[in-house]
């Protein structure tokens, strides 16, 4: 029997946005289940949407875990924020997305829940978890970093493993301000095939997420910048390092051997969070939910099912 799947919208009042906001979400499974705690997934980007997390429905089928996917404001089926493209760090910071998550939890009436943050999702997710919110049972950090500097250092290390002509193309385009050019995007395509997702062809759900960035780059461009390596946005100096010790719930770290989130980026989570376990996927990069789907779901499902 297939699990229940339904979609909805949560009204989100955030006065600084200058207009009413709505958060689109999808629930797979029964949020009122007495045997399993719902898992809320915080997508990456910022601004890539929820499609890349569809495989998590495997957890519902195998373990009865209800899955909550949603699209953060500014992307996908949630309210666009093109009207705030010129706003600064006072608006474009992680507080917006922490507030949205808190609002969604309240809207869904959740009093007990788990959270998985992927990439950017674990950046603001860690800020949320450090607040020790009521109801949070377990937290998963997947392929992320606790500071922008650590992320960029890891990207630069990986970048140096690319063919020299690709590195030269990237450097020239960044210096010339032509990161939107076909040659730069082609170079990034090679990078993604090594360190974002190593499957060929790349899963359609990931391509769908990347297409969202092309259609509306407002959030990514404003908060991050032209590319994974070139941070010029409001997250340039971002860090949650000083708050990691406040994350009091059991925490699971996940990354891939070939991940954008290299071990050097993930390590401070291990050393600063009190109750933590780390699992790495040997054949994966940034999308282990696709690259090693069976083992990934076994690891996550087993850990979430522990009492």
């Amino acid at each position: 029997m297939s699990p229940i799947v339904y979609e909805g919208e949560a009204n989100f009042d955030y006065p600084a946005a200058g207009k009413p906001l709505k958060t689109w979400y999808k629930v797979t499974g029964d949020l009122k289940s007495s045997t399993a705690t719902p898992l809320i997934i915080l997508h990456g980007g910022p601004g890539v949407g929820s499609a890349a997390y569809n495989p998590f429905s495997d957890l519902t089928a195998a373990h009865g875990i209800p899955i909550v996917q949603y699209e953060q404001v500014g992307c996908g089926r949630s309210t666009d924020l093109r009207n705030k493209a010129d706003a600064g760090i006072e608006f474009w910071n992680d507080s917006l997305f922490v507030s949205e998550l808190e609002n969604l939890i309240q809207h869904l009436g959740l009093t007990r829940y788990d959270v998985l943050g992927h990439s950017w999702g674990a950046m603001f997710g860690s800020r949320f978890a450090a607040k020790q919110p009521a109801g949070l049972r377990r937290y998963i950090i997947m392929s992320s970093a606790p500071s922008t500097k650590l992320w960029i250092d890891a990207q630069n290390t990986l970048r140096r493993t690319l063919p020299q002509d690709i590195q030269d193309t990237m450097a020239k385009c960044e210096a010339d301000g032509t990161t939107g050019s076909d040659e730069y995007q082609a170079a990034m395509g090679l990078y993604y095939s090594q360190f974002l997702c190593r499957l060929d062809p790349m899963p359609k759900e990931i391509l769908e997420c990347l297409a969202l960035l092309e259609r509306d780059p407002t959030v990514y461009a404003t908060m991050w910048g032209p590319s994974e390596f070139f941070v010029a946005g409001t997250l340039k100096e971002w860090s949650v390092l000083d708050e990691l010790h406040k994350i009091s719930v059991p925490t699971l770290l996940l990354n891939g051997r070939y991940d954008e989130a290299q071990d050097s980026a993930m390590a401070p989570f291990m050393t600063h969070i009190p109750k933590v376990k780390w699992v790495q996927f040997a054949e994966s990069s940034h999308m282990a939910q696709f690259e090693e789907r069976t083992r990934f779901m076994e690891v996550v499902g087993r850990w979430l099912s522990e009492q």
Side-chain angles (χ1 to χ4, degrees):
M1 183 176 177
S2 299
I4 299 168
V5 180
Y6 64 91
E7 300 177 4
E9 290 182 332
N11 293 325
F12 176 33
D13 181 23
Y14 198 78
K19 63 181 181 181
L21 302 177
K22 289 184 181 294
T23 301
W24 175 91
Y25 63 86
K26 179 175 77 172
V27 176
T28 303
D30 181 7
L31 289 182
K32 297 179 181 178
S33 170
S34 60
T35 60
T37 304
L39 176 65
I40 305 171
I41 298 175
L42 316 182
H43 68 68
V48 302
S50 67
Y53 308 92
N54 290 344
F56 282 86
S57 62
D58 291 359
L59 296 176
T60 311
H63 301 276
I65 297 171
I67 302 297
V68 178
Q69 294 167 249
Y70 74 99
E71 291 179 339
Q72 298 152 25
V73 287
C75 85
R77 287 155 283 193
S78 295
T79 307
D80 77 79
L81 290 171
R82 292 180 178 92
N83 65 309
K84 302 299 290 186
D86 295 327
I89 195 171
E90 295 79 12
F91 178 79
W92 292 110
N93 57 66
D94 56 20
S95 294
L96 167 63
F97 300 95
V98 169
S99 295
E100 182 184 27
L101 173 57
E102 292 170 339
N103 181 75
L104 180 62
I105 290 167
Q106 183 177 23
H107 173 84
L108 294 174
L110 301 180
T111 57
R112 181 177 170 86
Y113 54 88
D114 299 325
V115 168
L116 180 147
H118 180 227
S119 199
W120 149 249
M123 292 170 72
F124 80 85
S126 295
R127 185 82 71 193
F128 170 78
K131 295 175 70 175
Q132 301 181 0
L136 179 62
R137 186 187 72 112
R138 293 191 164 216
Y139 178 43
I140 300 174
I141 297 171
M142 178 183 173
S143 301
S144 190
S147 76
T148 300
K149 182 182 184 303
L150 284 167
W151 182 266
I152 294 303
D153 287 348
Q155 304 320 293
N156 286 333
T157 297
L158 294 176
R159 177 169 167 158
R160 288 191 289 271
T161 69
L162 296 174
Q164 190 60 50
D165 61 324
I166 298 296
Q167 295 185 53
D168 293 344
T169 294
M170 288 178 168
K172 183 178 187 303
C173 290
E174 289 164 359
D176 295 345
T178 57
T179 53
S181 65
D182 289 345
E183 60 179 345
Y184 190 80
Q185 295 308 312
M188 285 303 302
L190 177 62
Y191 181 84
Y192 287 146
S193 72
Q194 297 294 310
F195 308 118
L196 177 73
C197 182
R198 298 170 72 84
L199 298 179
D200 185 15
M202 192 171 287
K204 60 182 177 57
E205 294 93 341
I206 298 177
L207 295 176
E208 180 180 328
C209 287
L210 295 176
L212 282 180
L213 287 181
E214 290 185 22
R215 289 201 297 271
D216 184 1
T218 303
V219 182
Y220 187 88
T222 305
M223 297 191 75
W224 197 254
S227 74
E228 296 295 275
F229 318 106
F230 196 174
V231 183
T234 59
L235 292 174
K236 187 174 183 179
E237 305 297 329
W238 180 89
S239 175
V240 73
L241 280 166
D242 291 343
E243 296 184 35
L244 293 180
H245 69 281
K246 298 177 184 177
I247 299 176
S248 58
V249 298
T251 301
L252 177 64
L253 307 182
L254 304 172
N255 74 330
R257 177 184 176 190
Y258 306 101
D259 208 323
E260 290 183 279
Q262 288 285 287
D263 291 357
S264 59
M266 295 281 290
F269 291 125
M270 187 71 184
T271 56
H272 289 71
I273 297 175
K275 302 173 187 176
V276 65
K277 176 182 179 180
W278 189 347
V279 176
Q280 185 172 88
F281 298 93
E283 303 302 324
S284 294
S285 57
H286 201 56
M287 294 287 181
Q289 74 270 33
F290 290 100
E291 295 164 298
E292 292 181 71
R293 183 167 175 166
T294 299
R295 180 171 179 250
F296 181 90
M297 296 304 166
E298 287 175 351
V299 169
V300 173
R302 189 184 315 118
W303 189 78
L304 288 177
S305 297
E306 294 176 359
Q307 299 301 315

